[in-house]
Amino acid sequence: MPAQTHFDRLHVILVSARNPLNIGAAARAMSNFGFRSLRVVNPFEPSFREARSAVGASEILEKAEFFTSVADAVADCTLVVGTTAVRNRELQHPVHRPEYSARVIRKKLSSSPVALLFGSEKFGLSNDDLSHCHWLIRIPTCDENISMNLGQAVAVCLYEIMRDAKFERGPKPAELAASVEVERVTALLLEALHTSGFLTRRRVTDAEERIRRLVRRLNLPARDAVIWLGILRQMLWKMNAGKNSGPDLEPPAIEASGGRQKRTEAVARTRRRESPK
């Protein structure tokens, strides 16, 4: 994702916006995606005053800059990109999808200011407004309703600029269990399989090796290895409880040190068994 300092170089410019709900939605979309510079050209003043109460966007609206012309609003920008629904008008500019434009804009933001223009809800950007643009963005929509709400259009464009597939943040990979922990799980699983009679009914000469490979293919995270050790100990305790006379046995306790599972009494009793040929 681009740095926050780069975000500050993007100026969202609303030209002749009139609906306070749309203005507030546009400002909130900016806040959602980390963009703070809002410029307005000839807004309908009563609507803009009303929009300043928009939830989560009041600070952006309070700091918005006012201009009387598009030329003044984009004067310090080295790249100016407009938005359009196209309709039936004849355009003199290249028209690109948001994802293509976003890649170019992200690159440009690393060194210089960029302007992103949005027209009024009713008429969009005029030909005079478009004459200040280097190219245009069109968000793909269905033919039955090609024009998007102003706030939605701002949100889609800013999302594409913010999103960078090369640096998408995902969950931190879990720490895998150490070999000693995996071997403890394997030993307990083998003991459970012997106790339950599973390996007796399915006579395989290399059963232990197969089970060991199976457990390692699971790539157990360290936190999951602890859980599996507890599950297998409880299963063994339940299976062995019926074979012992006298008072009921207590289930084995789970000991941990530094996030690593220690060998317990149940594991210590586990012995390597050879399967019958």
Side-chain angles (χ1 to χ4, degrees):
M1 191 169 65
Q4 181 62 55
T5 54
H6 297 175
F7 281 8
D8 294 341
R9 297 191 182 116
L10 181 77
H11 305 299
V12 175
I13 302 177
L14 305 183
V15 182
S16 302
R18 296 185 62 84
N19 188 313
L21 296 178
N22 291 338
I23 296 171
R28 183 165 186 176
M30 293 177 62
S31 177
N32 288 147
F33 297 114
F35 297 92
R36 295 192 287 254
S37 177
L38 174 63
R39 297 179 176 182
V40 290
V41 178
N42 296 326
F44 185 56
E45 186 60 30
S47 295
F48 196 84
R49 285 198 302 269
E50 186 178 346
R52 292 190 182 188
S53 62
V55 176
S58 57
E59 183 178 355
I60 290 175
L61 290 168
E62 288 172 2
K63 294 181 179 179
E65 299 178 84
F66 291 79
F67 297 87
T68 57
S69 68
V70 171
D72 292 338
V74 302
D76 61 337
C77 300
T78 58
L79 175 63
V80 180
V81 181
T83 56
T84 181
V86 179
R87 295 185 184 275
N88 296 320
R89 67 194 298 182
E90 183 178 349
L91 299 174
Q92 305 299 321
H93 295 74
V95 180
H96 301 297
R97 292 169 63 99
E99 58 269 29
Y100 167 81
S101 300
R103 289 195 296 270
V104 179
I105 290 173
R106 280 197 298 268
K107 185 175 181 180
K108 195 71 173 178
L109 285 175
S110 64
S111 59
S112 57
V114 175
L116 185 58
L117 270 64
F118 297 87
S120 70
E121 299 90 334
K122 190 172 183 179
F123 302 108
L125 295 170
S126 68
N127 288 333
D128 183 66
D129 299 333
L130 294 176
S131 67
H132 296 278
C133 300
H134 293 87
W135 79 77
L136 307 178
I137 293 176
R138 178 183 181 272
I139 300 172
T141 53
C142 66
D143 294 337
E144 289 78 9
N145 191 4
I146 64 174
S147 181
M148 291 186 70
N149 172 274
L150 176 61
Q152 293 174 332
V154 172
V156 170
C157 291
L158 295 185
Y159 167 74
E160 285 293 341
I161 295 171
M162 181 275 292
R163 180 177 67 88
D164 188 344
K166 294 181 181 179
F167 300 100
E168 285 186 357
R169 294 179 293 181
K172 184 179 179 181
E175 179 187 1
L176 295 180
S179 293
V180 64
E181 293 170 319
V182 177
E183 184 60 24
R184 288 169 184 164
V185 172
T186 304
L188 282 174
L189 179 57
L190 283 168
E191 184 175 352
L193 294 175
H194 280 292
T195 303
S196 67
F198 179 86
L199 293 181
T200 304
R201 296 181 61 186
R202 294 164 176 79
R203 298 178 180 274
V204 181
T205 57
D206 59 345
E208 183 171 332
E209 288 76 12
R210 290 191 184 192
I211 296 300
R212 183 171 286 107
R213 290 194 297 268
L214 182 149
V215 174
R216 276 152 182 76
R217 284 198 299 271
L218 297 177
N219 291 320
L220 286 174
R223 60 176 181 268
D224 290 351
V226 174
I227 297 173
W228 278 112
L229 285 169
I231 291 172
L232 291 168
R233 289 192 187 102
Q234 183 68 22
M235 291 170 59
L236 280 167
W237 175 75
K238 277 288 187 181
M239 285 188 286
N240 289 323
K243 299 179 181 181
N244 294 280
S245 58
D248 292 340
L249 300 175
E250 291 295 327
I254 298 177
E255 301 176 9
S257 176
R260 300 289 186 182
Q261 197 71 19
K262 289 184 176 181
R263 182 183 299 271
T264 64
E265 187 176 327
V267 179
R269 293 198 308 267
T270 304
R271 289 179 284 184
R272 184 184 180 89
R273 305 182 185 186
E274 293 186 4
S275 301
K277 296 183 181 180

